[in-house]
Amino acid sequence: MTANPFHYLIEPLSCSTDKAFFNISKLQADEYDSLPYCIRVVLEAVVRNCDGVLVKKEDAISILGWKTNCKHRDVPFLPARILLQDFTGIPAMVDFAAMRDAVKKIGKDPKQVNPACPTDLITDHTLQLDFSKCAAQSIPSVPATEIHKSASKLSPAKTQGKKPHCRSQNSCKGACDSGASNGNSRTQIENTPLLCPFHLQPIPEPEAALKSLDVEFNRNKERHRFFKWCSKAFQNVSVIPPETGTVHQVNLEFLSRVVMEEKDFMYPDSVLGTDSHTTMVNGLGILGWGVGGIESEAAMLGVPITFTLPEVVGCKLTGSVSLLATSIDVVLSITKQLRQANLDGKFVEFFGTGVSQLSVADRTTIANMCPEYGATVAFFPVDRVTLSHLKQTGFEADRLRLFEAYLKAVKLLREEDDGPPGYSEVIEINLNSIVPYVSGPKRPQDKVSVNDMKKDFGTCLNEKVGNRAFHIPAEKQSTVVPVIYGSSEYSLSHGCVVIAAVISCTNNCNPSVMLTAGLLAKKAVEAGLTVKPYIKTSLSPGSGTVTHYLSASGVLPYLNQLGFDIIGYGCSRCVGNTNPLPEEIVTAIKEGELVACGVFSGSKHFEGHLCDCIRANYLASPPLVIAYALAGTVNIDLQTEALGEDTQGKKIYLRDIWPSREEVLQVEENLVIPSMFTELKAKMTKQSTRWASLDVPESTLFLWDPRSTYIRSPPFFHKLEKVPPPLQPIEKAHVLLYLGDSVTTDHISPAGSIPRTSPAAKYLTQKNLAPREFNSYGARRGNDAVMTRGTFANTKLLNKLIGKLGPKTIHVPSGQTMDVFEAAELYQKADIPLIIIAGKKYGSGSSRDWAAKGPLLLGVKAVIAESYERMHKDHLVGVGIAPLQFLPGENAESLGLCGKELYSIPIPVNLTPGQTLEVETNSGKVFNVIASLNNEVDVIIYKHGGILNYVARKYL
């Protein structure tokens, strides 16, 4: 620390002389006191890590002058820790393993390649729906011995002699009673009902979960072995094993410290994560936001990320939340108002009397959704509510005493009577005005009041096709299609709900929301209400702690009775992992050309995300998911229309069964908060027997298996040179894709199941894999051959070169229409560079590094768009793709571009941030674009061909 120019600020903690810290509050006190709390955390990290090279003294001075320098000065930031989830973590660790090979090849010691920053990798993020208690569905291919092992773990007393309730029992009965189908005999598993090869009879929830875990672990065993090797081979890497929980929840419940302690030195907890939900921890007063695998790898190696000092918008909360509104309603309301404020690249910090009305669970839910309203972080400074929460969740009293003393010393503890710091602007939100909302039917930012839902859905049917509407002819809006399902007849119409999924990755941090859903289910069952059996219902918590408190509170059996069975832990419907709908229902929807609906409680959705035949998707709070499932339609006014009738024919309205806030809070405060954290910590200590039994080699270099279809050495370092070659112009490039507005990372790099006719499927078939073994794109992110073939493979991609939906493009030289990958292959063989033309908000949605790596490996050299989502633009720079921007007011259409021209773009050797470049086409058109590079660091990274090459060269 003596080399640090700020070492004079180090002093002992007043209540513990063996604890030291940087007292940054003594740095120009007046300026410091006016800083937003989140900027104070950034300042502390810069002061503590100041080495005069990567982090300089003038960086700290710039932060002290934040009010003047925001939007103008770039500063470095090294977090206290890095968080990886397996979807984005596996390519990052594969890159690390490949980097070790490259360093070894050049003659350097590969053991040098280790994360310099503590790194946690969480493996539970790939859950697929293989077993469901009540849904008739195909049984996955899994050895009978493995299923038998799973079933035998349960006590016979828990299952024998029971006849579990199943809403779809009749639909399975014919096939299962036949004893055989297509030559396959039934399978008898100990302590379970009979299984047929195509349908799963109803089984107890714990057994279904165990079966799913067995299938999940075996499906991903190769990836798990790699993760376990990483935990042994790399220093500073901790792997959270499967069967624990998703990244969001484990980060919040287990990894978060609020205050870090390292060798008796104290400093604020902060985190950069490769998951868009990393922002959840800001509700605990921990500064954190999502980055791509590319930036995280640089930070893991001790290279600070560089970002422009952001504006900080103060969000003043007043009033209190109404009894019927959940935290999800608060989130959706805040989301709409903050979206209107243009928060791209900004921090949001909450203050005001209303903040104290929100529990930490409410705050983390709000903070978790900030990527949806465009902010980098939504920060709730630590206050008395935070400290009380830490006490409830098991932090020792002595440790909390130290935390409080430290936070007071550096003025990071917000007190009720503290005046607000200076903000770039202030937005005021009155919590009293918030009423229940859902969002959809196509985009998460389109909010609809529950009170207006029926009217709004009618509008969506009427209006022309667009971001919200479907344009159904008036004479077809009353279409009713009868369908026989099981032994009963039902009627499907526009607005019918066919999927209702409670996905608690966003909500399990807030027990009140899930408990409200559970208590609602209890009251619904007691009132005699049921859910129609064709609706595919499920509950997939992000953490086993949700199961724990739902079970302990006594509401789980009622959720099960309505069909909301726990099918496992992890992302499922939210990332497109869903099993097929019943054929009878799909046929009826298609015959009637119905706008069928999915309702679920995740944090994001896009059109076509779940299923091609489901045209409308709505995000809703968990209790509203259950309410719409009970109603069977979204085309209902929940205020005035009944959900159904009881056994005496009395109409039951939502208001009759909605639990009061007092009921929910009583259960939450007395039971949930203390127990859920204890439960997770016990699970972390115990770990799973499956993980413990994995055998991995003790080796410095990873032993790549050429037969592997999951883990493959990527080509990023194959041509690595010690000195980067000079920048070259892009000459006579063809357009691979001509895209419109709001192209998301889900369009660019899908995360759901691999379609059987896709280029990725063809590759896997050539590797002798059957379709049932394809798994998902997310699970195969460690294989560049799959991910490159999956780039732009979303069925809802609209390429203007084609003019209709589909993952296709035109190979301009031949004029043939083909898969995007096949066209890119032909261009690469002819040594023709490629570009992409796009509209506004290119790369919006969740962070995915393969949304940049994939286009790079397809041969894309530049993207020309009207505007970019900030993180995706950074990713393009991070892989060496030039993000170019049309001049204000111009786009491809206004310039008369058809996308079939040849484009030449001069990239000068002395490229500068924001430089204007002249683009020429072979048709004679000439227009200017802006090199959308933020700063000199971006230019340096682009000249190196991306962050990976830049970091690797530091070892050489």
Side-chain angles (χ1 to χ4, degrees):
M1 289 294 184
T2 55
N4 189 313
F6 296 105
H7 71 275
Y8 65 92
L9 294 174
I10 298 175
E11 61 182 56
L13 197 63
S14 58
C15 64
S16 178
T17 55
D18 60 345
K19 301 289 184 182
F21 69 102
F22 277 99
N23 193 346
I24 52 173
S25 67
K26 293 183 176 179
L27 258 180
Q28 299 181 22
D30 291 341
E31 288 86 348
Y32 181 83
D33 290 348
S34 68
L35 294 177
Y37 289 88
C38 54
I39 298 299
R40 297 178 197 185
V41 176
V42 176
L43 175 61
E44 193 282 338
V46 167
V47 167
R48 176 168 36 88
N49 291 293
C50 190
D51 61 0
V53 181
L54 294 174
V55 183
K56 300 178 180 180
K57 185 176 180 178
E58 49 264 37
D59 294 324
I61 304 303
S62 295
I63 297 172
L64 278 170
W66 162 80
K67 193 81 173 186
T68 302
N69 293 324
C70 66
K71 299 194 300 181
H72 305 296
R73 284 297 303 266
D74 294 335
V75 294
F77 180 68
L78 272 173
R81 53 192 175 92
I82 294 291
L83 185 69
L84 305 175
Q85 50 102 321
D86 62 350
F87 271 11
T88 47
I90 194 166
M93 297 313 300
V94 165
D95 289 345
F96 262 66
M99 195 181 298
R100 278 195 168 186
D101 292 341
V103 170
K104 172 72 173 178
K105 186 176 180 181
I106 302 295
K108 300 292 184 179
D109 183 5
K111 288 184 179 180
Q112 294 181 55
V113 181
N114 287 294
C117 183
T119 300
D120 297 295
L121 192 154
I122 301 174
T123 59
D124 277 345
H125 210 74
T126 61
L127 180 67
Q128 292 190 34
L129 307 188
D130 294 300
F131 293 94
S132 175
K133 175 180 167 186
C134 290
Q137 62 186 63
S138 299
I139 294 178
S141 176
V142 57
T145 54
E146 294 296 328
I147 300 179
H148 181 83
K149 268 190 252 177
S150 173
S152 65
K153 293 175 185 174
L154 291 173
S155 167
K158 293 183 180 179
T159 55
Q160 281 183 334
K162 289 190 176 181
K163 280 188 169 182
H165 171 76
C166 179
R167 295 179 292 112
S168 60
Q169 195 163 2
N170 291 331
S171 64
C172 295
K173 193 173 187 308
C176 294
D177 284 351
S178 67
S181 180
N182 288 352
N184 296 316
S185 62
R186 290 184 296 178
T187 304
Q188 173 69 53
I189 298 177
E190 182 181 356
N191 300 328
T192 69
L194 296 179
L195 298 172
C196 76
F198 299 102
H199 299 82
L200 181 62
Q201 284 279 56
I203 60 177
E205 178 271 325
E207 192 166 330
L210 283 175
K211 291 175 183 294
S212 291
L213 288 173
D214 267 335
V215 174
E216 182 73 13
F217 194 86
N218 288 327
R219 177 191 291 123
N220 295 294
K221 186 175 287 185
E222 189 177 338
R223 296 166 59 248
H224 292 329
R225 281 201 181 100
F226 175 72
F227 286 143
K228 194 165 184 179
W229 173 82
C230 290
S231 69
K232 292 186 174 185
F234 293 105
Q235 298 175 13
N236 248 350
V237 171
S238 174
V239 175
I240 309 300
E243 303 176 42
T244 303
T246 55
V247 57
H248 345 28
Q249 205 61 28
V250 173
N251 187 24
L252 186 71
E253 296 175 10
F254 185 77
L255 300 175
S256 293
R257 317 298 205 271
V258 180
V259 177
M260 303 288 288
E261 296 179 75
E262 183 181 356
K263 297 179 181 178
D264 297 325
F265 205 88
M266 304 186 75
Y267 53 96
D269 189 3
S270 60
V271 59
L272 295 179
T274 60
D275 186 272
S276 59
H277 298 290
T278 303
T279 53
M280 176 184 282
V281 297
N282 288 279
L284 267 178
I286 299 170
L287 185 64
W289 65 89
V291 296
I294 301 165
E295 298 99 324
S296 68
E297 291 172 50
M300 287 162 68
L301 287 165
V303 178
I305 70 162
T306 300
F307 71 106
T308 304
L309 268 177
E311 293 181 80
V312 179
V313 176
C315 185
K316 184 177 182 180
L317 301 182
T318 59
S320 58
V321 183
S322 67
L323 294 180
L324 289 181
T326 69
S327 63
I328 300 302
D329 301 316
V330 176
V331 168
L332 294 176
S333 179
I334 290 175
T335 295
K336 182 177 181 180
Q337 295 192 49
L338 295 185
R339 271 190 178 276
Q340 296 170 351
N342 184 24
L343 297 172
D344 186 35
K346 299 176 184 178
F347 286 8
V348 176
E349 186 168 286
F350 293 85
F351 72 103
T353 56
V355 174
S356 298
Q357 304 296 316
L358 302 179
S359 68
V360 166
D362 292 327
R363 299 175 189 191
T364 53
T365 307
I366 295 168
N368 189 39
M369 289 292 283
C370 84
E372 301 299 338
Y373 47 79
T376 303
V377 299
F379 191 73
F380 288 83
V382 177
D383 60 7
R384 295 294 166 181
V385 175
T386 316
L387 295 177
S388 176
H389 172 83
L390 295 178
K391 182 178 180 180
Q392 283 183 296
T393 56
F395 278 72
E396 297 176 355
D398 288 344
R399 192 177 176 197
L400 284 176
R401 180 173 54 86
L402 292 175
F403 283 9
E404 184 175 350
Y406 168 72
L407 293 168
K408 281 184 176 180
V410 292
K411 299 182 179 180
L412 284 173
L413 181 66
R414 188 183 75 89
E415 301 284 8
E416 274 296 325
D417 55 353
D418 287 346
Y423 292 114
S424 304
E425 62 177 299
V426 172
I427 298 172
E428 185 169 340
I429 297 176
N430 189 333
L431 300 179
N432 293 326
S433 64
I434 295 174
V435 295
Y437 286 91
V438 298
S439 106
K442 297 184 179 183
R443 303 187 305 176
Q445 63 263 40
D446 295 326
K447 191 173 67 167
V448 184
S449 167
V450 172
N451 299 339
D452 298 331
M453 183 64 168
K454 185 171 184 175
K455 178 181 177 182
D456 186 81
F457 185 75
T459 301
C460 291
L461 293 180
N462 277 315
E463 293 182 352
K464 292 182 179 180
V465 174
N467 289 330
R468 302 194 71 253
F470 303 99
H471 195 50
I472 305 299
E475 65 274 13
K476 292 186 176 181
Q477 291 182 19
S478 58
T479 299
V480 176
V481 182
V483 59
I484 302 294
Y485 185 77
S487 59
S488 302
E489 181 174 331
Y490 302 94
S491 297
L492 299 184
S493 58
H494 292 294
C496 60
V497 173
V498 292
I499 286 183
V502 176
I503 308 161
S504 67
C505 65
T506 299
N507 310 305
N508 54 359
C509 67
N510 193 329
S512 65
V513 181
M514 296 299 290
L515 287 172
T516 301
L519 291 171
L520 178 71
K522 179 177 184 292
K523 290 174 179 284
V525 170
E526 291 171 345
L529 297 179
T530 60
V531 175
K532 294 179 177 63
Y534 60 80
I535 299 176
K536 194 169 288 295
T537 51
S538 64
L539 169 58
S540 52
S543 169
T545 55
V546 179
T547 305
H548 174 74
Y549 67 68
L550 290 178
S551 178
S553 60
V555 299
L556 192 56
Y558 299 97
L559 286 163
N560 290 346
Q561 195 163 339
L562 293 181
F564 289 91
D565 309 293
I566 294 178
I567 47 78
Y569 305 100
C571 292
S572 51
R573 312 276 191 205
C574 196
V575 293
N577 294 336
T578 182
N579 47 347
L581 294 173
E583 290 185 11
E584 305 96 316
I585 303 302
V586 173
T587 300
I589 292 171
K590 290 182 177 179
E591 284 181 356
E593 298 180 349
L594 300 178
V595 178
C597 300
V599 184
F600 57 112
S601 63
S603 63
K604 60 185 178 183
H605 68 67
F606 304 101
E607 187 181 5
H609 194 59
L610 291 180
C611 177
D612 285 342
C613 66
I614 300 176
R615 296 165 66 182
N617 291 312
Y618 287 92
L619 299 182
S621 65
L624 282 177
V625 170
I626 293 174
Y628 281 114
L630 290 166
T633 181
V634 299
N635 194 15
I636 182 175
D637 184 341
L638 292 176
Q639 281 186 305
T640 61
E641 296 181 69
L643 295 175
E645 297 180 350
D646 62 13
T647 53
Q648 279 74 45
K650 177 185 175 183
K651 291 185 177 181
I652 305 297
Y653 296 86
L654 180 60
R655 60 179 176 269
D656 299 328
I657 60 173
W658 191 275
S660 69
R661 181 173 290 272
E662 287 75 14
E663 288 178 87
V664 177
L665 290 180
Q666 185 176 6
V667 176
E668 180 181 354
E669 292 172 1
N670 296 339
L671 174 69
V672 175
I673 293 295
S675 63
M676 63 189 291
F677 288 83
T678 303
E679 178 78 6
L680 179 61
K681 290 175 182 177
K683 183 181 290 188
M684 290 292 302
T685 302
K686 184 179 179 181
Q687 297 191 358
S688 70
T689 54
R690 297 175 182 85
W691 177 261
S693 65
L694 280 180
D695 185 29
V696 297
E698 303 280 349
S699 60
T700 301
L701 301 179
F702 184 67
L703 305 177
W704 306 99
D705 183 353
R707 299 168 299 177
S708 174
T709 58
Y710 278 100
I711 311 294
R712 202 172 95 136
S713 180
F716 304 122
F717 306 105
H718 289 180
K719 297 180 180 180
L720 182 66
E721 301 173 357
K722 291 185 177 181
V723 179
L727 293 177
Q728 299 292 327
I730 300 171
E731 297 284 359
K732 297 180 179 179
H734 270 295
V735 174
L736 180 63
L737 293 160
Y738 178 12
L739 306 170
D741 297 340
S742 299
V743 173
T744 70
T745 51
D746 200 62
H747 289 110
I748 304 170
S749 181
S753 299
I754 297 174
R756 296 189 179 192
T757 58
S758 65
K762 294 174 186 176
Y763 166 83
L764 293 172
T765 301
Q766 292 170 357
K767 296 292 184 179
N768 298 318
L769 295 183
R772 66 176 180 272
E773 300 171 298
F774 286 173
N775 212 325
S776 64
Y777 283 117
R780 292 192 179 274
R781 286 187 177 182
N783 185 331
D784 63 278
V786 172
M787 297 309 296
T788 305
R789 287 165 172 80
T791 304
F792 297 110
N794 190 304
T795 58
K796 296 299 180 181
L797 181 74
L798 179 59
N799 178 10
K800 293 184 179 181
L801 290 176
I802 300 295
K804 60 182 179 179
L805 297 177
K808 302 284 185 178
T809 194
I810 292 178
H811 179 248
V812 177
S814 66
Q816 293 183 352
T817 299
M818 58 185 68
D819 289 322
V820 175
F821 173 78
E822 294 172 352
E825 261 196 322
L826 292 178
Y827 283 124
Q828 287 200 16
K829 288 178 182 178
D831 199 25
I832 296 173
L834 299 172
I835 65 170
I836 291 170
I837 293 177
K840 300 181 182 70
K841 296 182 179 179
Y842 180 75
S844 57
S846 61
S847 164
R848 290 181 190 166
D849 59 335
W850 269 110
K853 289 179 178 178
L856 173 73
L857 296 181
L858 287 176
V860 174
K861 302 298 182 184
V863 177
I864 306 177
E866 287 184 70
S867 63
Y868 294 87
E869 195 279 333
R870 177 193 58 82
M871 191 177 296
H872 183 65
K873 185 183 72 172
D874 292 345
H875 284 189
L876 293 177
V877 176
V879 299
I881 293 177
L884 307 177
Q885 197 161 338
F886 289 109
L887 295 182
E890 294 185 353
N891 55 35
E893 187 175 343
S894 69
L895 292 170
L897 303 175
C898 69
K900 295 183 179 181
E901 305 92 344
L902 292 175
Y903 293 76
S904 294
I905 308 169
I907 306 292
V909 174
N910 58 346
L911 182 68
T912 59
Q915 184 173 351
T916 299
L917 306 176
E918 188 176 80
V919 181
E920 297 182 7
T921 70
N922 64 333
S923 65
K925 293 185 185 298
V926 178
F927 60 96
N928 291 331
V929 295
I930 299 169
S932 192
L933 304 169
N934 296 330
N935 47 52
E936 290 297 333
V937 174
D938 274 1
V939 173
I940 292 171
I941 290 172
Y942 177 68
K943 286 181 176 180
H944 276 268
I947 288 179
L948 293 178
N949 289 337
Y950 172 72
V951 172
R953 287 188 177 105
K954 295 182 74 67
Y955 288 109
L956 306 182

